[in-house]
Amino acid sequence: MVRALVAAAVLATVCGTGAACATVCGTGHRTAGQTGTGDGTGHAAAGPTRPEAAGPTRHDAAGPTGRAPDDEPFFVAPGSHAARQATTWRAAGRTADAHLMDRIAARPQAEWLTGPHPEAAVRDRTTAAARHRRTAVLVAYYIPQRDCGAHSAGGAPSAAAYRAWIDAFAAGLGDRDAYVVVEPDAVPHTVAGCAQVVPAERYALLAYAVDRLGRQSGTRVYLDAGNPGWIPDPARLVGPLRSSGVTRADGVALNVSNFHTDRTTSSYGKRLSGLLGGTRLVIDTSRNGNGPHLGPGTDLWCNPPGRALGRPPTRRTGDPLIDAYLWIKRPGESDGTCRGGPAAGRWWPSYALDLAANAHD
């Protein structure tokens, strides 16, 4: 996920990761829950073109309220909070609001796996995606001492339990196509000094996850590396990421649940990539359409006002180093109980509506 406008700008940046800044500003970008569908999904917190990035290729896409471009591979799951909200508002005569909600419902979003038994949920999501000749986007979020004990505290009770959980996750994947983001905030939290974890133990668990998930033939693995505001000097991440298996992953994920612009995040990512020998990137663009909130306060990462949906998910990034722009955080799910929001990961219709209304597309 340095500090303040210098103060404000930095906090928005620093604690830009939802889960990350637990030790500094609290987190809240994530919550525990079985599959990230309302009680633990867009929980990632804080945390960012290539013409045709390498990866699974698909030819048609279907969504609950509309079709994705025919050359985009990612799966749009029916029955999302946004899709149900649009249906409810249409029935109530709120057609304009329902149309805005379609901007979220029709886009592919990640599924968060946050509870103890991931295999069935992973199998269900990847099977549904394969049925539509699409690629699922999943988030593995169950590392011990998750979120450094803050809003999204939880995770596996032991290292052995985590390895078993990763084995079950991998079994659910089978040989079906998936992009998997591994443990948002886990590396940056450790670099930032989370006292609850032993760095070498955590990095070994992350390396196990990268290696085990990477053995699935259809899976592309991206290890989370935070965001530009959390660890401003990417050189600090290099050793920890290497220890966590990044050289055997398909790349790193940036800006998860955060608000940094594509330009800021890609610039940061390219610096990091250069230090890692050319590792590739995926960037979370779910809520960065207006960039980070720079107003007063110390919780600028948590449900900031005036934000907007960002670039829709795509592999057509225009940059040979960036594999995809993804909606990893699920737009409309709360960062935490700040600014009148519900618990982290819970659906918040009014916030979702603002994100959609402020979108530039």
Side-chain angles (χ1 to χ4, degrees), residues 98-107 309 327 356-361:
H99 180 70
L100 287 172
M101 196 56 54
D102 288 342
R103 292 182 173 183
I104 298 175
R107 301 298 185 183
L309 300 175
W327 283 9
N358 294 336
H360 302 293
D361 61 345

Side-chain angles (χ1 to χ4, degrees), residues 1-360:
M1 309 156 161
V2 317
R3 269 240 137 122
L5 186 159
V6 176
V10 175
L11 248 206
T13 321
V14 174
C15 294
T17 123
C21 296
T23 56
V24 178
C25 17
T27 120
H29 320 49
R30 256 163 234 116
T31 59
Q34 174 56 19
T35 63
T37 49
D39 53 358
T41 143
H43 341 359
T49 358
R50 75 186 250 174
E52 271 301 317
T57 303
R58 296 295 175 270
H59 306 294
D60 55 13
T65 58
R67 290 176 59 83
D70 286 344
D71 57 356
E72 295 301 349
F74 302 114
F75 178 59
V76 180
S80 67
H81 288 301
R84 295 197 301 269
Q85 192 70 66
T87 297
T88 297
W89 282 345
R90 280 195 175 85
R94 294 178 60 176
T95 54
D97 289 344
H99 180 70
L100 287 172
M101 196 56 54
D102 288 342
R103 292 182 173 183
I104 298 175
R107 301 298 185 183
Q109 301 163 48
E111 180 79 357
W112 288 67
L113 286 302
T114 63
H117 306 293
E119 183 172 350
V122 171
R123 180 177 294 110
D124 288 349
R125 176 52 66 96
T126 55
T127 298
R131 190 176 301 123
H132 290 89
R133 296 167 60 196
R134 286 291 176 270
T135 298
V137 179
L138 307 171
V139 179
Y141 190 54
Y142 198 59
I143 195 82
Q145 298 296 333
R146 182 177 63 201
D147 199 20
C148 201
H151 291 267
S152 299
S158 68
Y162 183 70
R163 291 188 181 94
W165 188 86
I166 288 293
D167 291 343
F169 195 118
L173 289 167
D175 61 359
R176 292 174 292 278
D177 289 335
Y179 280 37
V180 180
V181 175
V182 173
E183 299 298 343
D185 297 351
V187 170
H189 253 316
T190 309
V191 172
C194 177
Q196 286 96 310
V197 303
V198 176
E201 293 178 358
R202 169 160 285 189
Y203 300 151
L205 288 180
L206 292 170
Y208 182 85
V210 167
D211 291 340
R212 180 64 188 88
L213 298 173
R215 282 162 46 190
Q216 305 307 120
S217 61
T219 299
R220 295 175 65 84
V221 178
Y222 295 89
L223 181 62
D224 183 77
N227 65 72
W230 194 354
I231 308 293
D233 179 5
R236 295 180 61 199
L237 294 168
V238 172
L241 287 171
R242 288 188 184 279
S243 296
S244 301
V246 72
T247 58
R248 300 183 298 279
D250 291 280
V252 298
L254 295 171
N255 203 45
V256 173
S257 296
N258 220 279
F259 303 88
H260 297 284
T261 64
D262 295 347
R263 175 179 293 183
T264 296
T265 306
S266 62
S267 176
Y268 179 82
K270 287 174 182 179
R271 290 165 59 203
L272 177 61
S273 176
L275 295 169
L276 289 170
T279 192
R280 307 183 66 77
L281 317 172
V282 294
I283 296 174
D284 186 355
T285 60
S286 56
R287 304 185 301 174
N288 71 348
N290 282 342
H293 180 52
L294 301 180
T298 59
D299 59 352
L300 304 183
W301 55 267
C302 190
N303 301 321
R307 301 310 91 200
L309 300 175
R311 184 193 306 254
T314 181
R315 287 191 303 115
R316 302 175 68 86
T317 65
D319 189 316
L321 194 64
I322 303 175
D323 284 348
Y325 295 115
L326 302 173
W327 283 9
I328 300 172
K329 170 73 176 183
R330 298 164 71 95
E333 291 179 356
S334 178
D335 291 323
T337 55
C338 53
R339 295 187 170 89
R346 299 286 179 179
W347 176 244
W348 191 3
S350 61
Y351 196 78
L353 187 62
D354 284 345
L355 290 172
N358 294 336
H360 302 293

